[in-house]
Amino acid sequence: MKLLTGNDLASGAVTWWTGSGWSLHVEDAADVGEQGDSILAAEEAARRVNAPYIIDAVATPQGPRPAHIKDRVRALGPTVRLDLTLKPADPAAGNWVI
Amino acid sequence: MYKYDQYDQAIVDARVEEFRDQVRRRMAGEMTEDQFKPLRLMNGLYLQLHAYMLRVAIPYGTLDSRQMHMLAHIARKYDRDYGHFTTRQNLQYNWIKLEDAGDILADLATVEMHAIQTSGNCIRNISSDQYAGAAADEVTDPRPWAELLRQWSTFHPEFSYLPRKFKIAVIASDEDRAAMRLHDIGIQLVERDGKLGAAFYVGGGMGRTPMIAPLIKDFVPIEDFLSYSEACLRVYNRHGRRDNIYKARIKILVHEIGADEYRRQVEEEFAHVKTLGIDPPAAELERITAFFAPPAFEAGIADSVDRSDPDFAVWLDQNVKAHKQPGYAIVNISLKKTGDIPGDASSAQIDVMADLAKDYSFDELRVTHAQNIVLPHVAKRDLYAVWQKLVEADLAAANLDLISDIIACPGLDYCSLANARSIPVAQKIAKRFADPVRQRNLGELKLKISGCINACGHHHAGHIGILGVDKKGTENYQLSLGGSGAEDTSIGKITGPGFDEDGIVDAVERVTDKYIQLREGEERFLDTYRRVGFDPFKEAIYG
Amino acid sequence: MGNLRFRDDAALDQPAVALSAFLDQSNATAVRLEPGEDARLLIPHLDRIALVEVAFPKFRDGRGYSAARILREAGYAGELRAQGDVLVDQIREMRRCGFDSFVPDKPLDEAVVATTLARYDNVYQRAADAAVPVWKLRHG
């Protein structure tokens, strides 16, 4: 599957295209199929996202898993500061990245 | 320490308003990201993996308690309660909001700080010896010259769009504590026949093509200091390569045309530049130098230290260095306790270090390229009290220059350029060698880790260097041996095939075991390596 | 629209010729410098040049800044034009290097130009403009 991701212009936060808007959680990300480029152009022009790009991901029962480790780090947060990630209560959250 | 006058303050204040306006134009859609990017980068604002990152300059690594407290305040108010001290004597905030950037810069400006030229293809923060003004071996305090360069390079109209970034270090002793020859320009202030001058080394650097800067001019008379710098930069701006970003640093130019031809061009340019009147009068240097006058050291105070507390004695031996003034010492605060993230400090820790500087070090701190903090002027009678307060703040790791005093870039945990994580490797190695007796037995051993070929973690200059690479989507780590960023500058040699995260820790241990087996007398790891060569270690690693 | 000129004399109504062509023909008075070309080749001919157009194909390529200063340092007083990918946030540095006219690929917002040029009252270094560096203000 293909995901569309970028950062929020004002806050810089990592965001994922859900099909109708942007979410901080990769679990909410929707497969953009062949539509990625056109959504990307429209959303960037409207400044609802900054520096967007399209990535490959694999669908899993827990939700989409980005194919590249860099995007998995982006999806979670720094593996060395789990307290600052989106899953601060899960001591094994870093395993998902690797 | 240097203090701004109305002109310095006006320039920094104007920069705050300029950047505020650039951010406003970006947020309002008057600029695309492509147009905004070079502007934000010239002010140290990156877009990293999780958020914007702001890099704040700490010119030549010197700051006072008021500035240090402000760094803590910003971390608390705008970021996530910590900051990261870098190998370039800067501080990075990892979780900055674009909409806050103007307010942060305004706060910084109230304490004479800024983020000017901490990124972009321009002259970056001028770095220096963290022991400047305290070391017995310096011919003069190098910081007035670094400040002169700071002012000259700030918004230099001709050198704002260089082929690539440009880093300058200034030192004033034969012992090199600033990796001087691994800079685009490394300057060593020297004395000849009672006169001060500057030796210029040009074309060093790390990155994907590490080079040790050749000596371009052994003695530039001090009154020509800026003219000569300007000539060096102009030759680079005109002739540095712009066709390939990987070949755009000045080291490639100097390497391709040769040091002799580069020198010839600089001399020719200098003969012209010197006529332009760009060197300020001696009175300006005297004005700047006066700010760096030695603090009011007490004469005749006790030069001995009570070593009866054994933990204190260990720290004293490892982290405290000789000062030029009897009765005083240089205190190194390690930010590398086992399990720490190298270079990270919490707001609370930053405040503690600021208070210690105010109470015990004539209100001065230094940031080192090894990502530690220095209290440069501590009376020996106060060392025990300082140590006790460091212990309370978890800042008393007694490991300066030992294997766990690791330089590591933020790596793939934070950095959008990284190929692999650096910090977890640093943490695992520190844990493996956590036994303090074992570390001290290994002696001085500089281990440096970069998460990509850009080499922010100085891996080329590590006695043991580690480079993280991307191997078909998984993290892989290459080992190199024999680098040095000191006066015996050398570039490490890659041992062979890389390792996974646990494998690289094992490989490091095989290297240190081999060293223990081979060393003679008081040899450091680097000495043994240089004596016996690469092969015994290679065999130990790969069998 | 969008072009800027900071000169009182009349603009030259003549196209700038390439450097090689200029050096070959004695009657041209306007010449265009590409980024890699050596501005110093023009120095023997400055007395007959009314316009030097310095090309900026990409805003990141800063060679033209050195070219401009070199010409001004050699005494060139004619029009010095920056043409190409010239951005509003570069105008100030270009002015300091001696450029006095601008023909950007994309029009510049003149209000922003005015704000930008008025932003800084002080400079740290001598360049090709008349700005007095702060070290001079400090010591007279």
Side-chain angles (χ1 to χ4, degrees):
Chain A
M1 64 192 297
K2 302 272 188 199
L3 307 183
L4 177 56
T5 182
N7 295 72
D8 183 70
L9 175 62
S11 73
V14 174
T15 55
W16 305 89
W17 177 251
T18 65
S20 58
W22 295 90
S23 168
L24 300 178
H25 302 279
V26 70
E27 294 88 338
D28 301 334
D31 187 353
V32 293
E34 303 300 307
Q35 304 301 307
D37 286 328
S38 58
I39 302 169
L40 180 155
E43 290 296 305
E44 186 174 32
R47 284 171 283 123
R48 286 188 290 263
V49 68
N50 191 18
Y53 60 103
I54 297 159
I55 62 164
D56 288 318
V58 178
T60 77
Q62 291 77 40
R65 186 172 190 270
H68 197 282
I69 185 171
K70 186 173 286 189
D71 293 306
R72 297 196 293 275
V73 173
R74 290 179 71 246
L76 177 70
T79 65
V80 292
R81 285 293 304 267
L82 289 175
D83 58 317
L84 303 178
T85 66
L86 294 176
K87 296 190 165 64
D90 177 3
N95 294 340
W96 179 82
V97 167
I98 304 156
Chain B
M1 262 189 63
Y2 187 73
K3 295 280 177 232
Y4 284 6
D5 66 4
Q6 79 264 30
Y7 301 115
D8 300 303
Q9 191 67 52
I11 287 170
V12 168
D13 289 345
R15 179 61 174 133
V16 174
E17 291 315 310
E18 180 177 51
F19 195 66
R20 237 190 237 291
D21 185 53
Q22 289 170 345
V23 169
R24 181 195 60 72
R25 281 154 54 203
R26 172 63 185 128
M27 303 269 291
E30 293 170 28
M31 269 190 276
T32 65
E33 182 64 9
D34 278 351
Q35 291 166 335
F36 180 56
K37 190 176 174 184
L39 301 180
R40 64 170 164 76
L41 284 180
M42 266 195 217
N43 212 39
L45 193 71
Y46 288 73
L47 185 58
Q48 292 287 25
L49 290 186
H50 312 297
Y52 294 98
M53 179 198 93
L54 181 68
R55 181 179 293 153
V56 176
I58 300 171
Y60 33 91
T62 293
L63 73 175
D64 64 17
S65 64
R66 196 174 56 119
Q67 294 173 320
M68 193 76 162
H69 279 306
M70 179 56 80
L71 295 178
H73 167 76
I74 289 169
R76 259 192 296 268
K77 183 171 177 188
Y78 302 102
D79 203 89
R80 298 199 177 177
D81 210 23
Y82 70 108
H84 176 75
F85 291 98
T86 77
T87 53
R88 287 279 304 147
Q89 299 180 308
N90 296 307
L91 177 117
Q92 290 175 182
Y93 294 113
N94 291 305
W95 305 90
I96 293 301
K97 294 182 170 65
L98 180 60
E99 54 200 357
D100 289 338
D103 291 340
I104 296 170
L105 295 175
D107 282 357
L108 286 170
T110 65
V111 297
E112 304 175 16
M113 294 185 88
H114 59 75
I116 294 167
Q117 291 170 211
T118 54
S119 179
N121 292 338
C122 49
I123 301 171
R124 303 286 189 91
N125 187 30
I126 311 296
S127 59
S128 187
D129 182 348
Q130 67 269 20
Y131 295 169
D137 60 351
E138 67 186 16
V139 300
T140 185
D141 189 329
R143 292 174 298 165
W145 302 96
E147 173 62 24
L148 196 66
L149 285 171
R150 183 192 75 82
Q151 296 191 21
W152 163 78
S153 61
T154 297
F155 307 137
H156 195 298
E158 188 178 338
F159 306 136
S160 291
Y161 295 88
L162 295 167
R164 201 73 176 83
K165 57 189 170 182
F166 205 91
K167 302 174 181 179
I168 303 177
V170 190
I171 66 172
S173 57
D174 287 335
E175 187 179 333
D176 181 2
R177 291 172 285 262
M180 180 268 288
R181 290 184 71 186
L182 295 168
H183 285 74
D184 296 286
I185 296 183
I187 297 171
Q188 183 183 349
L189 298 171
V190 291
E191 235 169 31
R192 182 184 284 180
D193 305 328
K195 288 195 140 179
L196 193 64
F200 272 65
Y201 295 84
V202 184
M206 292 191 247
R208 79 179 51 215
T209 318
M211 302 257 188
I212 298 168
L215 181 64
I216 294 301
K217 180 93 171 172
D218 60 350
F219 193 85
V220 174
I222 212 66
E223 58 272 20
D224 299 337
F225 189 74
L226 288 189
S227 285
Y228 204 82
S229 302
E230 184 126 340
C232 288
L233 264 296
R234 179 175 281 181
V235 170
Y236 171 54
N237 191 47
R238 298 186 74 208
H239 303 300
R241 287 184 60 172
R242 295 181 186 258
D243 59 328
N244 180 341
I245 187 177
Y246 302 118
K247 296 186 174 179
R249 294 289 289 269
I250 194 174
K251 61 192 173 188
I252 303 295
L253 173 69
V254 174
H255 181 72
E256 285 183 351
I257 67 176
D260 290 337
E261 172 60 15
Y262 175 75
R263 180 185 303 112
R264 189 194 65 73
Q265 293 187 19
V266 169
E267 292 288 331
E268 195 175 287
E269 194 65 54
F270 169 72
H272 164 68
V273 166
K274 186 58 192 171
T275 65
L276 302 175
I278 66 163
D279 290 289
E284 174 63 356
L285 194 76
E286 285 161 21
R287 185 189 74 88
I288 294 174
T289 302
F291 288 110
F292 296 95
F297 294 123
E298 266 182 75
I301 59 171
D303 203 35
S304 61
V305 180
D306 178 355
R307 302 172 52 91
S308 53
D309 183 329
D311 290 338
F312 169 65
V314 166
W315 176 81
L316 190 65
D317 291 339
Q318 201 61 49
N319 287 34
V320 178
K321 300 293 172 187
H323 197 283
K324 66 181 178 186
Q325 177 74 18
Y328 287 83
I330 301 169
V331 167
N332 286 276
I333 303 173
S334 165
L335 299 180
K336 323 282 180 65
K337 184 173 59 68
T338 304
D340 276 355
I341 294 173
D344 276 14
S346 68
S347 310
Q349 288 177 320
I350 294 172
D351 278 334
V352 166
M353 293 187 279
D355 287 338
L356 287 173
K358 175 115 183 131
D359 295 342
Y360 298 105
S361 184
F362 294 94
D363 205 19
E364 238 189 77
L365 302 116
R366 308 291 173 77
V367 180
T368 82
H369 84 273
Q371 301 174 288
N372 292 316
I373 303 295
V374 167
L375 300 174
H377 311 299
V378 179
K380 288 186 177 175
R381 64 170 177 232
D382 294 331
L383 285 171
Y384 192 67
V386 168
W387 174 73
Q388 286 178 307
K389 289 182 179 173
L390 289 173
V391 170
E392 275 173 39
D394 241 0
L395 289 168
N399 62 348
L400 188 77
D401 294 339
L402 300 181
I403 191 168
S404 62
D405 182 12
I406 297 169
I407 291 179
C409 70
L412 190 54
D413 279 299
Y414 290 99
C415 179
S416 60
L417 297 175
N419 289 317
R421 291 172 300 158
S422 308
I423 299 165
V425 175
Q427 290 171 319
K428 279 190 176 173
I429 292 171
K431 281 203 182 85
R432 178 72 61 92
F433 291 90
D435 176 0
V437 176
R438 184 183 186 192
Q439 283 191 48
R440 289 200 296 280
N441 179 41
L442 285 170
E444 181 188 301
L445 212 171
K446 299 193 178 184
L447 198 149
K448 310 187 183 192
I449 308 174
S450 304
C452 82
I453 193 68
N454 290 306
C456 296
H458 291 191
H459 66 279
H460 296 299
H463 298 178
I464 297 177
I466 295 173
L467 168 64
V469 297
D470 178 343
K471 192 176 174 190
K472 295 177 189 152
T474 60
E475 296 164 298
N476 193 264
Y477 298 93
Q478 289 178 351
L479 190 64
S480 61
L481 301 175
S484 171
E487 59 279 9
D488 57 353
T489 318
S490 58
I491 305 291
K493 183 174 174 186
I494 296 171
T495 57
F499 305 88
D500 66 13
E501 191 173 294
D502 290 321
I504 191 72
V505 182
D506 293 338
V508 167
E509 192 166 36
R510 286 196 287 274
V511 169
T512 60
D513 286 350
K514 192 71 191 172
Y515 156 63
I516 296 290
Q517 196 188 322
L518 293 172
R519 80 169 157 197
E520 292 179 356
E522 297 290 296
E523 276 182 342
R524 303 172 300 162
F525 166 78
L526 188 61
D527 304 324
T528 302
Y529 172 83
R530 285 176 175 169
R531 177 174 55 81
V532 305
F534 182 72
D535 293 340
F537 290 100
K538 182 164 184 172
E539 194 181 319
I541 297 164
Y542 298 100
Chain C
M1 268 309 288
N3 295 352
L4 290 170
R5 199 160 181 279
F6 296 84
R7 295 180 66 89
D8 295 330
D9 57 354
L12 189 73
D13 188 20
Q14 190 184 338
V17 303
L19 177 66
S20 54
F22 173 86
L23 294 173
D24 285 346
Q25 66 185 90
S26 58
N27 57 348
T29 58
V31 59
R32 177 178 167 90
L33 275 182
E34 300 299 330
E37 292 177 338
D38 185 0
R40 289 206 161 100
L41 295 177
L42 295 177
I43 290 177
H45 313 286
L46 292 182
D47 54 356
R48 69 171 167 105
I49 302 177
L51 167 68
V52 179
E53 179 174 274
V54 179
F56 287 88
K58 291 182 190 150
F59 77 86
R60 286 184 184 81
D61 189 334
R63 283 176 284 190
Y65 295 78
S66 288
R69 268 192 82 188
I70 284 167
L71 291 172
R72 291 302 189 208
E73 285 162 9
Y76 175 64
E79 181 169 343
L80 192 50
R81 174 191 291 168
Q83 186 280 323
D85 191 11
V86 173
L87 308 180
V88 66
D89 294 279
Q90 299 181 305
I91 299 289
R92 179 170 174 269
E93 283 92 350
M94 288 183 168
R95 291 284 290 136
R96 294 215 61 212
C97 287
F99 287 105
D100 54 13
S101 81
F102 301 88
V103 179
D105 288 340
K106 293 185 195 121
L108 305 176
D109 181 328
E110 290 190 19
V112 180
V113 171
T115 312
T116 300
L117 288 178
R119 175 85 61 199
Y120 291 90
D121 293 330
N122 296 293
V123 300
Y124 274 126
Q125 60 294 97
R126 229 192 253 295
D129 58 350
V132 179
V134 294
W135 52 258
K136 180 89 176 153
L137 298 174
R138 284 167 178 149
H139 301 284

